[in-house]
Amino acid sequence: MTFDREQVLRSAAALLTRKSTATMDEVAKAAGIGRATLHRHFAGRDALVKALENLGLQEFEAALDAARLDEGTSEEGLRRLIAAVEPSAGLMSFLVNENQLFEGDEVNEGWSRADARVSAYFRRGQERGELRIDLTPAWLTEALYGLVGTGAWSIQAGRVAAQDFQYMIVELLLGGARRSVEQ
Amino acid sequence: MTFDREQVLRSAAALLTRKSTATMDEVAKAAGIGRATLHRHFAGRDALVKALENLGLQEFEAALDAARLDEGTSEEGLRRLIAAVEPSAGLMSFLVNENQLFEGDEVNEGWSRADARVSAYFRRGQERGELRIDLTPAWLTEALYGLVGTGAWSIQAGRVAAQDFQYMIVELLLGGARRSVEQ
DNA sequence: CCCATGTGAGACAATTTCGTCTCACCGAAG
DNA sequence: CTTCGGTGAGACGAAATTGTCTCACATGGG
């Protein structure tokens, strides 16, 4: 009965990931609330999307903090980051594919800051000799986002097991699919 | 002046990738044609999306054929596939994020067939000892799609260089970001 | 018990988008 | 030059969506 802002935003993200043209009425129904209530809390579709972006950014920055990317090896940091991001994967999956934020101002700035942190993490790994230098930090950052989104979507679609989320992403991103000789 | 179906579909994919809620009028303007003309060739938004799916599927299957995935090593096959897919990357980028095809019938069947080919290719690589067996073919397939979409998007957003498309994807997917000892 | 707050359902007009139509125009073929 | 097919622009009503409103009702606090 009571309005749960976060639960509403999460189900909205889940719906909009599958059907990006969903109406406010569909979003409300998916969240189990009335359209009027949805409208009371989010002035319109734009406001809803902006709220999703803000929540996603907030959770991602919290995950970045929790991951303590500057402690230990690159691998340890990445494992902590993916673990911390997993609960927000549904939200991230929506945001990765939501490229409409070309007009946003503060939101975009926030994502630039987060991008810079991830990118700097990859650069440090390269400088310490733990990561290859022939793949740019910018690409590794984008690939990280893409794989998180792909992982969340694959699980939601039932094509991979939910418990493999962290392992799949970390192993592919760090080690790749090739079977190395020393393994 | 003359109607170029493929050019229209490509610009539609590019627009819809950025703004998934774009109207038919916006799609028409982006393609440089009138809304009436767009409507003469595609009955509605659904028909347009279906045409995009069909074109994308057709091009991807052509890329699968051209890649001759059963010849040579896994690495050679993947390089050929990514090279063959690059011209269709914009289309693929749209389709990867277009998860609305839960209703489609023939289209969905076509994609299942393509999925099966990619998945079988990864499985063969595993059986030959060229690829790791702890990452499922289903996940590798999804990751391939995701990385192609991410790569296309990153280039379009200007975050990575267009000429690096093939290298970035193949190297990350096969080798990962970790710097191996033998390198 | 009563009140206050917030919700769901529905009504309603305004706006947007869609689908179809007409018409003038352009270019290529004859 | 004339004809014909196809296009762009715009008009038009239909349909969908939005934004706002009212009202009955549920729930929790005083």
Side-chain angles (χ1 to χ4, degrees), chain B residues 47-85:
Chain B
L48 176 65
V49 171
K50 191 155 289 189
L52 283 170
E53 291 172 348
N54 279 320
L55 178 61
L57 175 61
Q58 178 185 324
E59 296 202 352
F60 186 61
E61 292 201 304
L64 282 172
D65 292 337
R68 309 186 313 278
L69 290 180
D70 47 357
E71 295 183 19
T73 66
S74 293
E75 177 159 344
E76 291 165 353
L78 182 62
R79 287 193 194 282
R80 286 193 297 263
L81 177 59
I82 300 300
V85 132

Side-chain angles (χ1 to χ4, degrees), chain B residues 3 33-35 37 40-41:
Chain B
F3 178 83
I33 64 177
R35 191 169 67 96
T37 303
R40 282 188 195 102
H41 293 270

Side-chain angles (χ1 to χ4, degrees), chain A residues 3 33-34 37 40-41:
Chain A
F3 177 83
I33 64 176
T37 302
R40 282 189 195 101
H41 293 271

Side-chain angles (χ1 to χ4, degrees), chain B residues 91-145:
Chain B
L91 210 43
M92 298 293 298
S93 181
F94 167 74
L95 293 177
V96 165
N97 301 2
E98 180 65 3
N99 308 316
Q100 200 166 349
L101 30 79
F102 272 11
E103 305 132 15
D105 305 320
E106 333 111 37
V107 181
N108 221 318
E109 182 185 338
W111 280 105
S112 297
R113 198 167 54 234
D115 284 358
R117 292 180 68 179
V118 178
S119 190
Y121 152 74
F122 282 120
R123 197 174 326 104
R124 279 196 305 273
Q126 291 177 329
E127 289 166 354
R128 290 189 294 199
E130 295 169 350
L131 302 182
R132 318 166 46 160
I133 59 171
D134 58 340
L135 298 175
T136 66
W139 164 239
L140 292 175
T141 301
E142 296 291 325
L144 169 64
Y145 295 158

Side-chain angles (χ1 to χ4, degrees), chain A residues 28 42 45 90 97-98 114 116 118 126-127 129 136 143 145 177:
Chain A
F42 306 102
R45 191 193 186 74
N97 302 1
E98 180 66 4
V118 178
Q126 291 177 328
E127 289 166 355
T136 67
Y145 294 157

